[in-house]
Amino acid sequence: MKSTHIVLFLVLLAAMQLAGAAEVVRSAAVLRAMAPDEAKKGLPVELEAVVTFVDRSWGNLFVHDGTAGVYVKASEQVKQASWIAVGQKVGVKGVTGDGFLPVIVAAELVDLGEGVMPAPMVPKSPEEIQTPAMDAQWVEVEGVVKRLADEYAGLTLYLQSGPLELPAALPRTETLAAVGTLPLHLLERRVRVRAVAATQFNQQRQMSGRHLYLPGMSFLTLLDPAQELPPAPLRRVDELLRVGSPLDERVRLRAVVTHAVPEQMLFLRGDGGSMRVDSALTPDLKPGTMIEAEGHATFMPLRPGLNAAALQKLEDGPSPLPLRLDLTSERRSAEQYELVTLDADFVEALPTPRETILLCRAGEVVFEANLPPGVAAPLALEPGMRLGLTGICELKMNNPFGIAQWTKEFTLKLRSARDVVILQRPPYWNAARLLLLLSAVGGAALLVAAWAWMLRRQVARQAAVIERQTTTKATLEERQRISRDLHDTLEQELSGLAILLDTTSRQFETGDGTPDKTLGLARQLLRRSREESRSTIRDLRSMAIEQLGLLGAMETMLRPLAESAGLTFVFSAEGNERRLRGDVESAFLRVAHEAVANAAKHSRGSRVEVRMSFSADAVKLAVSDDGTGFRPETAADDSTGHFGLSGMRERAVRIGADLRVDGQNGRGTCVSLVWSHSRLETRESHLEC
C-alpha cells in the first residue's frame, strides 16, 4: 500500500509541476467557484480544514475550511488513516478534480490536531436544503423521525422536514450490530441534526436527489421531551387513515405475517386486508406468526402502511394460504401487499447485483417475480415452462391519481425458491429449437444447392469434353473415310488413267494399235474420277451449315436451285432447331439438295416444298413436288453423273436414318428422311407429304 501512496503522490506532484506557475488554491470557496473545465486541469491545492464527515469503510471524507465544505477524494488513504475523525484538523495537499462541484484529489493528508467544528448553515425553509448549491456544506436541519432502517448504506434515519423526506445515513461503522439496539425512542419525535448535505447526481453533473451524512448520534438533538404515551388503540387494517383519523395517531394492529424482509419490512394480513409495515425490528418472524405492531400510519401506494416503533410476537401458526390473482379482471387496491398465487409462463431469468428477477408472462401480462437477495433462480428453469408462483403482490403506480383500476403492471415479491413450482415442462419444439431446425434445414438446402450447382458444372465440363471427343472422333472417322475413298477410287483411277495415256503415247510413236480407242477409255475414266472427287467433296461439311445453320443453309442453297428451274419454292420448319453431328447435318442438306435437284430436272411441275421438323427424339425432312411423278422401284439414277436415289440411300444408311421415296405417275414425288438419337428406324413417323 505504501508503494501505491508513493505512486499517487508522484502522479499528483507531476500534475502540480505541469501546472507550472499556476497559483495554489488555498480556499474551499475558491475551489467551489471554479468552472468544471478549469477544475479538470489539476491545479495545485493546499488548505487546512476540519473533518465534517468520515466513513472509513467507504473512504468518504468531507472537510470544511471555514469558508465552505468540500469533498476530498482519497479513499485508500482514508481507509488506512485511523487517526482521521470528525472535528480533526487536517492539512490537505493535492490538485483540483471534477465532480458535482469541484473536489480535491488528495496526495497528502496531515494530522494538525484537534479542530473546531464550523457553524452550520441553517436553511431558511425546508425546500432550501434541496438546492444544488448546498452540496458538501455543513448544515443544520430539523424534522420528525418517521422511519429507521439498517440498509446497505448503513443505519439510516428518515426525517420528515416539511413536505420533504430526507435520509440521514450514519457511517457504516455505526450499523445496527455496532449500536446494539435501534433508537426506537426517536420514532415520531422531532429532532435537530447537524450533517453534511450530500448529492446524488448523474454523469452530466445533474442533481437527482439529496441525502444527509450524519457523523454520529451525538450530532442529533431531541427537541420534544419524552412523554408518557397513553395505550395505543387497537385498529383493523381497513380502519387506518379513514375520515376522522388523526395523522399522528399511534395505533396497534394484530395480524398474521405473510412475509418478513429482515431489518426492513413486514407484510401482514389482518382484519380488513393486507398491508406493509416498515420496521428494522424483525425478530425471527415466519409466515403464519401472529404479531402485534405499534406505530404511526403512513401513506403508501394504494394502501396505508405503518411505521412500527414496537413489535410483539404473539403466537406461531400455519402459513397463510395465498389468494388466487385473477388477471382477467381490473386491478383492485385490495391486491396491494397481498399474498397471492398465479400460473404463468417463464420467459427468462435476469440476475442483478441485489436480486434475481424472473421475467414471466400470464396471458397478455408480462411481470417480474423477484427472488430475495442472495437466492439464485432454480437451475431447472427453462423458457416456456409453466410455473406456479406465490408471493407478495406489489402494484406499480403508473398514474398520478392512485387509481388501482388504471394500474396494469405489478411485481411479485417471492419469499424463497420454494415459491416457484414447475407445473409443466415446455414443449420440445419451441421457437428456439424450430429456429435451429430451420437454420439446419436451410443450411442443408444451401449445401444441396451448392452441390447441385457444382454437379451441373462438372456435368457441363464432362459434356463439353465428350462433345470435343465426339467431334474429334467424327473428324478422324471422316478423314479416314475420305482417305479410303481417295485411295480406293480416285487414286486407282488416276493410276489407270496414267497407264492408258502411256499406252496411247507409245501407239502414236510406233503406229501400232488404235489410239482412238485408248483415248476413249481414258476419257471415260477421267469423267468417272471427276464424279468420284465431286462426291467426296460433297460429303465434306458445308461451310453454309457452319455459317447459317442447317435451316439457313437449306433455304440459301435450295431456293435458287428451284427458282432457276421455274419452280415455286416453299420452305417451313417446326420445333426448335438444334445443332446435330456434322455428318447428320450434311446428310440432311445433301438429301434435300438431291431431291430438289431431281424435282427441278425431272418433275415438270410448278411447285416444290421442303419441310423440316425437330422434336425431342427425332429430326425429319420431307421434300415434295407436284410433278409427273415416277415409280421408285423401276427408276434408275440418271446418267448426268449426279448421285440420284442410290446416293440418297447411301447417305441415309451412313448416318443410321430411314429414307422413304413415294411417287406415283401423275401425282408428284415425296422424299422423306427420319433420323433419331437412338438410331432406331421409325418408319411410322415420317412426315406426310
Side-chain angles (χ1 to χ4, degrees):
M1 276 312 167
K2 292 184 178 180
S3 62
T4 303
H5 296 164
I6 294 173
V7 171
L8 181 60
F9 175 76
L10 292 176
V11 170
L12 293 175
L13 182 61
M16 294 172 65
Q17 291 176 348
L18 289 174
E23 184 177 354
V24 178
V25 178
R26 302 184 185 279
S27 167
V30 173
L31 176 63
R32 290 168 61 95
M34 281 186 179
D37 291 340
E38 188 73 9
K40 289 180 181 179
K41 295 180 179 180
L43 303 177
V45 177
E46 293 183 12
L47 59 80
E48 296 180 358
V50 174
V51 176
T52 52
F53 181 82
V54 60
D55 187 342
R56 274 185 290 276
S57 62
W58 281 17
N60 280 348
L61 178 64
F62 288 85
V63 299
H64 198 291
D65 70 344
T67 64
V70 67
Y71 177 73
V72 179
K73 186 181 295 185
S75 60
E76 292 301 321
Q77 298 177 66
V78 172
K79 290 179 181 179
Q80 299 175 25
S82 58
W83 56 269
I84 299 179
V86 175
Q88 186 80 16
K89 189 174 183 180
V90 295
V92 182
K93 292 185 179 181
V95 295
T96 59
D98 188 26
F100 182 71
L101 288 176
V103 301
I104 301 174
V105 182
E108 183 181 2
L109 298 175
V110 181
D111 184 1
L112 300 180
E114 187 176 354
V116 178
M117 294 296 291
M121 297 180 63
V122 180
K124 297 178 181 178
S125 65
E127 291 79 7
E128 187 180 359
I129 191 65
Q130 294 287 79
T131 57
M134 297 295 288
D135 179 61
Q137 298 287 28
W138 180 246
V139 298
E140 183 177 275
V141 178
E142 293 185 6
V144 176
V145 179
K146 287 294 184 179
R147 288 191 293 137
L148 300 171
D150 189 28
E151 301 174 321
Y152 65 94
L155 186 59
T156 304
L157 287 68
Y158 288 85
L159 306 180
Q160 189 71 37
S161 179
L164 305 176
E165 184 179 67
L166 288 174
L170 284 92
R172 296 191 67 184
T173 52
E174 298 196 29
T175 60
L176 179 60
V179 174
T181 58
L182 283 173
L184 297 176
H185 63 285
L186 297 177
L187 286 172
E188 298 300 328
R189 305 288 294 277
R190 189 166 188 81
V191 297
R192 178 188 299 122
V193 297
R194 287 175 294 158
V196 173
T199 304
Q200 302 158 17
F201 62 96
N202 59 24
Q203 294 179 339
Q204 289 74 39
R205 291 191 300 274
Q206 295 173 300
M207 181 175 174
S208 58
R210 170 58 40 85
H211 61 278
L212 304 176
Y213 278 136
L214 183 62
M217 294 300 292
S218 60
F219 290 86
L220 182 146
T221 303
L222 189 60
L223 296 181
D224 53 358
Q227 301 179 16
E228 187 68 29
L229 298 176
L234 186 63
R235 302 293 189 193
R236 289 165 49 97
V237 170
D238 57 359
E239 291 178 341
L240 298 179
L241 296 183
R242 283 188 172 178
V243 176
S245 300
L247 186 60
D248 58 351
E249 181 185 26
R250 190 179 181 96
V251 298
R252 287 184 301 128
L253 296 170
R254 286 182 183 172
V256 175
V257 176
T258 54
H259 180 39
V261 180
E263 300 177 356
Q264 292 188 35
M265 65 186 73
L266 298 170
F267 294 93
L268 306 177
R269 179 190 290 172
D271 295 335
S274 295
M275 64 178 300
R276 189 182 97 183
V277 175
D278 288 343
S279 176
L281 289 173
T282 52
D284 187 17
L285 298 177
K286 299 179 180 179
T289 302
M290 176 70 73
I291 67 165
E292 188 175 277
E294 185 173 338
H296 292 79
T298 184
F299 297 109
M300 290 186 183
L302 294 174
R303 298 295 300 268
L306 188 74
N307 287 329
L311 293 176
Q312 181 180 359
K313 179 179 177 181
L314 300 180
E315 59 180 353
D316 293 327
S319 180
L321 297 176
L323 304 180
R324 174 63 61 173
L325 185 63
D326 182 10
L327 297 181
T328 61
S329 61
E330 294 180 335
R331 302 278 59 80
R332 298 175 294 109
S333 60
E335 296 170 347
Q336 183 75 319
Y337 307 132
E338 181 61 82
L339 180 66
V340 300
T341 184
L342 75 159
D343 299 340
D345 297 322
F346 175 64
V347 178
E348 63 176 325
L350 306 173
T352 68
R354 287 187 52 79
E355 60 189 1
T356 298
I357 299 173
L358 306 182
L359 191 63
C360 301
R361 178 186 289 107
E364 299 298 326
V365 180
V366 178
F367 64 95
E368 296 176 357
N370 302 336
L371 286 163
V375 177
L379 296 178
L381 291 184
E382 297 179 15
M385 279 184 169
R386 189 69 174 172
L387 303 180
L389 302 172
T390 301
I392 303 299
C393 177
E394 289 188 316
L395 302 179
K396 292 184 178 181
M397 290 305 302
N398 50 14
N399 64 84
F401 306 107
I403 300 176
Q405 291 85 342
W406 294 0
T407 301
K408 301 297 183 182
E409 300 179 4
F410 69 95
T411 60
L412 207 63
K413 187 181 290 294
L414 304 176
R415 299 168 298 177
S416 69
R418 292 189 297 273
D419 283 338
V420 181
V421 179
I422 298 175
L423 301 178
Q424 183 180 351
R425 298 282 178 178
Y428 183 82
W429 288 113
N430 54 29
R433 288 193 174 97
L434 283 175
L435 182 60
L436 182 62
L437 176 62
L438 291 176
S439 300
V441 171
L446 289 176
L447 290 176
V448 170
W451 175 81
W453 178 76
M454 294 177 64
L455 183 61
R456 291 182 62 183
R457 291 194 60 186
Q458 183 67 19
V459 170
R461 286 196 295 267
Q462 293 295 334
V465 171
I466 293 173
E467 184 178 358
R468 288 195 299 270
Q469 292 176 348
T470 303
T471 302
T472 302
K473 182 178 179 181
T475 302
L476 291 175
E477 290 177 352
E478 188 72 5
R479 288 177 179 176
Q480 291 174 358
R481 185 191 65 79
I482 294 172
S483 177
R484 287 193 302 269
D485 289 348
L486 292 176
H487 179 271
D488 296 340
T489 58
L490 187 60
E491 183 179 354
Q492 299 297 331
E493 291 177 354
L494 288 176
S495 297
L497 180 62
I499 294 172
L500 289 174
L501 290 176
D502 289 341
T503 302
T504 302
S505 177
R506 285 194 301 270
Q507 288 176 348
F508 277 116
E509 291 176 356
T510 61
D512 298 334
T514 55
D516 293 340
K517 183 177 181 179
T518 56
L519 285 175
L521 293 174
R523 188 179 296 109
Q524 292 178 6
L525 188 60
L526 182 61
R527 185 183 300 113
R528 194 161 52 247
S529 297
R530 184 187 63 184
E531 295 303 325
E532 290 292 341
S533 63
R534 179 183 297 172
S535 175
T536 301
I537 292 172
R538 285 178 179 176
D539 283 343
L540 298 178
R541 186 176 179 90
S542 173
M543 290 300 296
I545 295 177
E546 292 291 342
Q547 296 174 357
L548 304 175
L550 179 57
L551 297 181
M554 279 187 174
E555 186 165 13
T556 300
M557 295 179 64
L558 303 182
R559 183 179 294 278
L561 180 61
E563 293 178 350
S564 64
L567 299 178
T568 300
F569 180 77
V570 179
F571 182 79
S572 62
E574 299 176 359
N576 296 323
E577 180 185 7
R578 61 180 184 277
R579 294 308 301 265
L580 308 173
R581 293 200 324 261
D583 58 337
V584 175
E585 289 183 339
S586 295
F588 270 91
L589 180 61
R590 296 311 170 193
V591 169
H593 186 278
E594 189 66 29
V596 173
N598 289 338
K601 293 178 182 179
H602 309 297
S603 70
R604 300 176 186 177
S606 61
R607 170 189 173 93
V608 62
E609 181 178 357
V610 178
R611 287 187 295 153
M612 285 290 297
S613 173
F614 293 87
S615 64
D617 299 325
V619 181
K620 304 173 186 179
L621 166 69
V623 181
S624 59
D625 62 61
D626 60 351
T628 58
F630 71 103
R631 296 184 65 82
E633 61 273 13
T634 60
D637 289 348
D638 61 33
S639 59
T640 61
H642 291 81
F643 284 108
L645 293 178
S646 61
M648 288 190 286
R649 290 191 179 99
E650 289 176 2
R651 292 184 184 279
V653 171
R654 191 176 299 160
I655 66 172
D658 182 35
L659 179 72
R660 177 184 296 177
V661 180
D662 297 320
Q664 294 182 7
N665 292 330
R667 299 182 63 179
T669 304
C670 178
V671 178
S672 63
L673 182 68
V674 177
W675 177 85
S676 65
H677 294 286
S678 61
R679 297 195 176 187
L680 298 176
E681 293 187 2
T682 54
R683 297 183 182 275
E684 70 283 356
S685 63
H686 285 266
L687 290 177
E688 294 183 0
C689 297

